[in-house]
Amino acid sequence: MLETVLKRDQDFGTPAITRALKQVSLQIDGQTIQVPEGTSIMRAASMLGLNIPKLCATDSLEPFGSCRLCLVQIEGRRGYPASCTTLAEEGMVVTTENKRLADLRRHVMELYISEHPLDCLTCSANGNCELQETAGQVGLRQVRFDGYDKTQANKSADTSNPYFTFNPDLCIVCNRCVRSCEETQGTFALTVDGRGFESQISTGLNTNFKDSDCVSCGACVTACPTGALMDNSIITMGQPNHAVITTCAYCGVGCGLKAELKGEELVRMTPWKNGKANEGHACVKGRFAWGYATHPDRITTPMIRSSINEPWRKVSWEEAINYAASEIKRIQAKYGKKSVGAISSSRCSNEEVYLVQKTIRAALGNNNIDTCARVCHSPTGFGLKQTLGESAGTQTFESVADSDVILVMGANPTDAHPVFGSRLKKRLRQGAKLIVIDPRTISLVSTAHVKADYHLPLKPGTNVAMLNAFAHTIISEGLQNKAFIAGRCDSDTFKEWLEFIQLDENSPESAATITGVAAQTIREAARLFATGGKAAIYYGLGVTEHSQGSTAVMAIANLAMLTGNIGMSGVGVNPLRGQNNVQGSCDMGSFPHEFPGYRHVSDAATRKQLEQAWQVKLDENPGLRIPNMFNAAISGTFKGLYCQGEDILQSDPNTQHVEAALTNLECLIVQDLFLNETAKYAHVFLPGASFLEKDGTFTNAERRISRIRKVMRPKSGMADWEITQALSNALGYPMQYENPSEIMDEIARLTPTFASVNYAHIDKMGGSVQWPCNPQNPEGTPIMHIDSFPHGKGTFVPTQYIPTSERTNKRFPLILTTGRILTQYNVGAQTRRTGNTAWHEEDLLEIHPHDASDRGIENGDIVQIASRVGQIAMKAKVSTRVQPGVVYTTFHHPVSGSNVITTDNADWATSCPEYKVTAVQVSKVENYASEWQDHWASTDKKQHDFLKSAESGTHEHT
C-alpha cells in the first residue's frame, strides 16, 4: 500500500523544470545544490528540506508572488525578493532565515490574520490549514489590527454546489483558486472582484458556484490554503486520519486518487499528486461522485428465484453459487456445451475479467465470452491491429504537451475525459493548432481561451469519406512524409493504398457532397495536419460506433503513417477509451476470438501454452459475440448468461430486442451493485463490490496499468474475483487464488506484453506501468512503435467509403446521434446515485432551432422521437450545438430509453453498434411517456416490489 497515514504531499512551491538545457549551482543557508536552469529559489530550498513560508505558492501552479511571505535575502542584492518568482542563478548565495526576514514575514502574516476570523477550533479546516500552519511557522503570537467584521460572518457563504462550500469570510484572496481554475482546469470560471480591502473571489455575473461556468472539478478546493473552499463531507464528518492510494473507476483516463478515511468510512477523495495520468487533477466524477458505493440502493446479499415473475429470495453465498452452477450444468446438459456464455465488464479489474474469461473457457468449455468493449472500442482493436500491429493507442497523455497540431475526431474530451481535456486545453493555450471533426459543436470548438482553427461539422456516418479526403489532399499536394513511408511502411500495401487514395471518389470535392463540409475547408485542414509540425490524433466513440467504425480506425492509422506522426512524443493514434478498463478488458482475452494478449483462439501454440497452464482442453473455434448471443437466445439455442458488472439492457442498442433475448433465457446470472435494468430479468443476483472494496489493476487508454487498492471491506463479504472463483469451483473447475496479486502473476506468465508486470514492480515504478512491460521493456513502454511495428512494417489498408444502410427519408428525416455529458457516466447507475444529478436530472434531446421551428417545438417541450425500431419521449433542448438535420441525446437515465430507438446496424468487422447514426422523426406531443416508457415504469415497479419483498422477508408470488 503506497500510503496508510494521511499526510500532505510535499509541496515544492513552484513547478519542476523538466526541459532545462543546463544546471546551475547555488548556495542556500550554507548548503550547495545544483538545479535545472529556470528553477525557483523556493523549489531549490525545498529540495534541500528548507521550508520557506508561503501561502500563494504551490507547485501545481505557476509562481505568482502575491503573499510576500516567501521573502529571502540574496548576497549582493538590495531588498528581499520573493523566492517563488526569483530564479536560481549560478553562484547565488541565499539566506532564507534571519531576524529581518522573520520580522517581515510576521508582519505580513499579521495583516492576513487581522481580517480573518479567529475561530480555528471550530473551523472545518482545523488541523489541515496552511494559513494556521504558516502563522505558527512565522511565530505570530499577537495581532495588533482588527479589520474583521464579525457582523458579516457566514452571511455570504455559497452552499449551492452539492459537494463544497465557499465561505468568503475565510478567504485570504491568495488567488490559488483562480489560478487553478485557469492553469489546471482551463475553465476560467473564477476571478477577483474589487480592489484592495474590497477584493473578493467571484464566479462572475452575480452567479453562484453551481450555476456558473464552474465544472466542479475541485481544483480550487484542493488549492485553497484555508477553509474558504471546503468539501462538504469534511464540514460534516471532520478531518480524515489516514489515506489509501487507488485509481478512479470512471473513464479511461485512469486518474490516481487518494481516498481519505476515518477507519473504513470514506471522508473525501482527492487527486493524487503523483498520479501519472492526472498529475494531481480530477473531475467532478472522480473527485466527488463516489457516494454510490455506500448508497442505500446497494444490494449486499445474494438472491435467487426460479422465474423473473417471482419475488427474490435472499440466500447465503453458498446457496446462490451452487444454484447458479447447477443451472448452468442443467442447461449445458439439455442444450449443449455452447448454450451458455458470459459478458464481462470494462468497469471491473484486469484480474476479475481474466477470471471470467478463464471460467468460460476452462469450466464451460467454449469461447462464448464477450465484453462491453464490443459496443464501444472493438473497432479500435481490429483497426489498429491490422495497420500498426497492436490493438492499443501509441502515446502517453503527457505526450500532448509536445503536439503542434491536434486533431480531435468523434470525441468530446472536456465532457467524457475531462482531465485529459484540461491537458489538451493547456497545450492549445500555449499555441498548438486544433482541428475538430464532429457533427456537433463540442466545447473545444470555442471555449475560454481556446478556439479550434478548423471545425469540420460533417454529417454523421461520413467519417471515412472525410479521412480519405485528408489523405487524398496530402498525396495530391506532395505533403506526405516520404522518408517515414520508405523506411517504416510496407511498400506493397502502400502502393496498393496509394492507387486507391488517388481516385477521384476520395477527393475533397467528392467528400464535400458526402460530408456537407466545403472542399476548400477540408483541404486547408489537411494541409495544417500535414505541415503544422508534430500532429496527434485523438478519437472516440464518434469514430468507432459506426457501420464503418473499423474502416475509420484504419483510415486514421493510414493518415498517421502517411505523415510520419508515429513513434515520438507529441504525435500518434490515441483512442480515448470510454470506461476505466476498456483497454484492460480487451487485453485480458474477453473477446470470443482472442485469448489474453490478443492471440487468436485458433493459434495452436497459444492454445497449447494455456492448456498446459490451465490443465484443460480449449476450444479452437471463436465463440459468440454479444449480438450473436442475443439472436441465439431469441432463437432458443442460447439459454444461460453470466453477466458481470454490465447493464446490457440499458447500454446495448435496440432495447426491445435485448429484452426479448433476456426474457428467453432460462438462467441469467447478474453480478452487480444495484438492481439495474438487466438485473430485473435475472434469476440469480450476486452482489458485486465497488472499486473501493477491492484490490487489483485497471489499464487506462494510454496502456497504463495502475493499482486499485481496497479502501473498505466488501459490503457483501466478497470481492468480485472471489465470486467468480467460487462459481468456477462449483462448476467443477478448481481455482485456488489467495489474492489478486496471484492472478496478475498468472497473467504475466501467460501474456507476453505483461511478462514483467507484478504488484511489487508496479509499486516500484511509482504506482503504474505501461505495457508492453517485459524483459525487453522492463520499465514499460510510454511511446509505441518508436523504431518498428510489432509485425515489422506499417500496413496501409484501402478504406473505401460505403454509406451506412441507415438512411433518412420523408418518414424519418433527421439523424440522431448519441453521447455523454460531463456530470453523468455511461448508464448512470453510479452517478445518478450521487449529487451529480444536480446538473443533469434527465436526458434531453438537442435539436437545432430550424428543425424545432419547423415542428413547432420550443425549449422544454415534450417531444416524441421515433425510429424504425421504436419510439420514446423526452424534453427538447433547442440548441445550435447541433446542425440542422441532426439531433443529439444522452443515455444516462433508464426511463429515457435512448437505446429503444437505436438500431441493430453495426460495424462490418466487429459488430460494434452504430449508435451514432439513427434515422428518426421528432414531433411535439402532450404526454411525456411513450408506450415503451409506460412498459418500463410498470416493469420497474414490479421488480422493485419483488426486491422489497425479499428485503422484508416475504416471498409470496405476485
Side-chain angles (χ1 to χ4, degrees), residues 442-459:
I442 61 173
S443 296
L444 281 177
V445 171
S446 182
T447 189
H449 298 269
V450 168
K451 185 174 178 61
D453 295 88
Y454 292 97
H455 174 212
L456 282 57
L458 76 179
K459 295 175 182 177

Side-chain angles (χ1 to χ4, degrees), residues 658-671:
V658 179
E659 183 180 351
L662 297 184
T663 303
N664 220 30
L665 294 174
E666 292 188 7
C667 183
L668 172 59
I669 304 163
V670 169
Q671 183 173 320

Side-chain angles (χ1 to χ4, degrees), residues 30 37 98 104 126 164 237 247 396 470 494 742 810 895 925:
E37 187 177 35
N98 58 33
L104 287 171
N126 187 31
F164 60 83
M237 302 167 67
T247 302
T396 64
F470 264 52
F494 176 70
E742 291 185 1
K810 289 183 179 180
V895 66
V925 293

Side-chain angles (χ1 to χ4, degrees), residues 50 80 125 330 373 440 448 455 526 558 599 657 715 722 733 848 850 896:
L50 303 172
Y80 302 92
R330 177 188 65 79
R440 190 165 169 260
H455 174 212
N558 289 342
R599 294 165 294 173
H657 180 74
K715 294 191 174 299
E722 294 175 301
Y733 180 77
H848 190 274
H850 292 170
S896 302

Side-chain angles (χ1 to χ4, degrees), residues 154-351:
N154 296 315
K155 285 188 176 180
S156 55
D158 184 346
T159 60
S160 61
N161 191 287
Y163 295 121
F164 60 83
T165 293
F166 173 53
N167 185 348
D169 289 340
L170 304 178
C171 179
I172 59 172
V173 199
C174 65
N175 264 275
R176 273 166 61 165
C177 59
V178 177
R179 290 151 55 212
S180 66
C181 190
E182 296 175 358
E183 297 177 27
T184 305
Q185 170 55 33
T187 298
F188 294 81
L190 301 179
T191 188
V192 178
D193 277 349
R195 302 185 65 180
F197 288 110
E198 302 301 319
S199 298
Q200 59 182 356
I201 301 299
S202 169
T203 54
L205 299 175
N206 297 316
T207 59
N208 56 33
F209 266 89
K210 178 181 173 294
D211 298 328
S212 70
D213 291 335
C214 170
V215 293
S216 298
C217 68
C220 59
V221 183
T222 300
C224 182
T226 71
L229 282 160
M230 180 59 66
D231 299 75
N232 290 339
S233 58
I234 296 287
I235 295 172
T236 302
M237 302 167 67
Q239 292 288 337
N241 54 34
H242 69 114
V244 177
I245 301 299
T246 189
T247 302
C248 183
Y250 278 115
C251 79
V253 174
C255 295
L257 298 175
K258 183 185 291 186
E260 302 183 7
L261 306 103
K262 283 184 172 182
E264 284 190 284
E265 190 172 19
L266 183 58
V267 178
R268 72 174 168 187
M269 197 77 80
T270 54
W272 184 35
K273 181 178 178 179
N274 296 319
K276 300 293 175 57
N278 60 313
E279 296 181 336
H281 191 33
C283 78
V284 62
K285 295 186 287 289
R287 176 72 162 85
F288 296 114
W290 42 265
Y292 69 89
T294 54
H295 195 277
D297 286 352
R298 279 284 299 272
I299 300 174
T300 57
T301 305
M303 304 186 299
I304 62 175
R305 59 183 176 180
S306 58
S307 167
I308 62 173
N309 294 312
E310 296 178 1
W312 288 102
R313 180 166 63 90
K314 288 188 175 183
V315 296
S316 66
W317 272 111
E318 182 180 15
E319 183 175 354
I321 294 292
N322 287 337
Y323 178 76
S326 67
E327 281 293 279
I328 292 173
K329 290 176 182 177
R330 177 188 65 79
I331 290 170
Q332 284 193 305
K334 183 176 180 181
Y335 299 101
K337 185 168 65 174
K338 297 187 177 182
S339 60
V340 294
I343 299 172
S344 65
S345 172
S346 294
R347 286 192 288 276
C348 293
S349 71
N350 288 316
E351 295 76 7

Side-chain angles (χ1 to χ4, degrees), residues 91-110:
M92 184 179 276
V93 178
V94 180
T95 298
T96 70
E97 290 288 346
N98 58 33
K99 185 178 185 307
R100 179 58 180 155
L101 289 170
D103 288 343
L104 287 171
R105 290 170 182 160
R106 197 160 42 248
H107 293 158
V108 170
M109 179 58 71
E110 188 178 3

Side-chain angles (χ1 to χ4, degrees), residues 248-537:
C248 183
Y250 278 115
C251 79
V253 174
C255 295
L257 298 175
K258 183 185 291 186
E260 302 183 7
L261 306 103
K262 283 184 172 182
E264 284 190 284
E265 190 172 19
L266 183 58
V267 178
R268 72 174 168 187
M269 197 77 80
T270 54
W272 184 35
K273 181 178 178 179
N274 296 319
K276 300 293 175 57
N278 60 313
E279 296 181 336
H281 191 33
C283 78
V284 62
K285 295 186 287 289
R287 176 72 162 85
F288 296 114
W290 42 265
Y292 69 89
T294 54
H295 195 277
D297 286 352
R298 279 284 299 272
I299 300 174
T300 57
T301 305
M303 304 186 299
I304 62 175
R305 59 183 176 180
S306 58
S307 167
I308 62 173
N309 294 312
E310 296 178 1
W312 288 102
R313 180 166 63 90
K314 288 188 175 183
V315 296
S316 66
W317 272 111
E318 182 180 15
E319 183 175 354
I321 294 292
N322 287 337
Y323 178 76
S326 67
E327 281 293 279
I328 292 173
K329 290 176 182 177
R330 177 188 65 79
I331 290 170
Q332 284 193 305
K334 183 176 180 181
Y335 299 101
K337 185 168 65 174
K338 297 187 177 182
S339 60
V340 294
I343 299 172
S344 65
S345 172
S346 294
R347 286 192 288 276
C348 293
S349 71
N350 288 316
E351 295 76 7
E352 289 159 357
V353 296
Y354 175 83
L355 284 200
V356 172
Q357 65 85 30
K358 181 178 178 180
T359 297
I360 299 308
R361 292 181 161 120
L364 300 187
N366 66 53
N367 287 314
N368 291 340
I369 172 65
D370 210 349
T371 177
C372 56
R374 168 71 55 209
V375 300
C376 63
H377 266 286
S378 52
T380 286
F382 179 86
L384 295 187
K385 189 78 170 180
Q386 300 302 307
T387 50
L388 306 184
E390 193 60 87
S391 300
T394 63
Q395 310 293 123
T396 64
F397 289 137
E398 183 183 19
S399 167
V400 76
D402 290 323
S403 299
D404 299 307
V405 179
I406 301 165
L407 192 161
V408 175
M409 185 174 194
N412 188 1
T414 55
D415 277 20
H417 305 86
V419 171
F420 171 71
S422 293
R423 278 187 187 268
L424 191 156
K425 288 192 293 182
K426 183 175 183 178
R427 179 60 189 141
L428 294 174
R429 293 195 302 274
Q430 293 169 344
K433 304 296 184 180
L434 175 64
I435 304 167
V436 173
I437 304 177
D438 201 290
R440 190 165 169 260
T441 305
I442 61 173
S443 296
L444 281 177
V445 171
S446 182
T447 189
H449 298 269
V450 168
K451 185 174 178 61
D453 295 88
Y454 292 97
H455 174 212
L456 282 57
L458 76 179
K459 295 175 182 177
T462 63
N463 289 333
V464 173
M466 178 65 73
L467 290 163
N468 285 346
F470 264 52
H472 184 283
T473 299
I474 292 167
I475 288 293
S476 66
E477 298 186 9
L479 305 177
Q480 69 270 33
N481 189 322
K482 296 177 182 178
F484 184 91
I485 296 167
R488 296 288 306 276
C489 300
D490 179 75
S491 58
D492 291 337
T493 60
F494 176 70
K495 183 178 180 181
E496 179 186 0
W497 175 85
L498 183 61
E499 186 177 338
F500 157 77
I501 206 66
Q502 293 181 98
L503 296 174
D504 287 342
E505 67 188 53
N506 296 315
S507 69
E509 286 72 25
S510 294
T513 64
I514 296 169
T515 65
V517 179
Q520 183 61 25
T521 303
I522 296 174
R523 287 188 184 279
E524 290 175 1
R527 288 185 198 121
L528 174 61
F529 182 83
T531 63
K534 291 183 176 180
I537 304 172

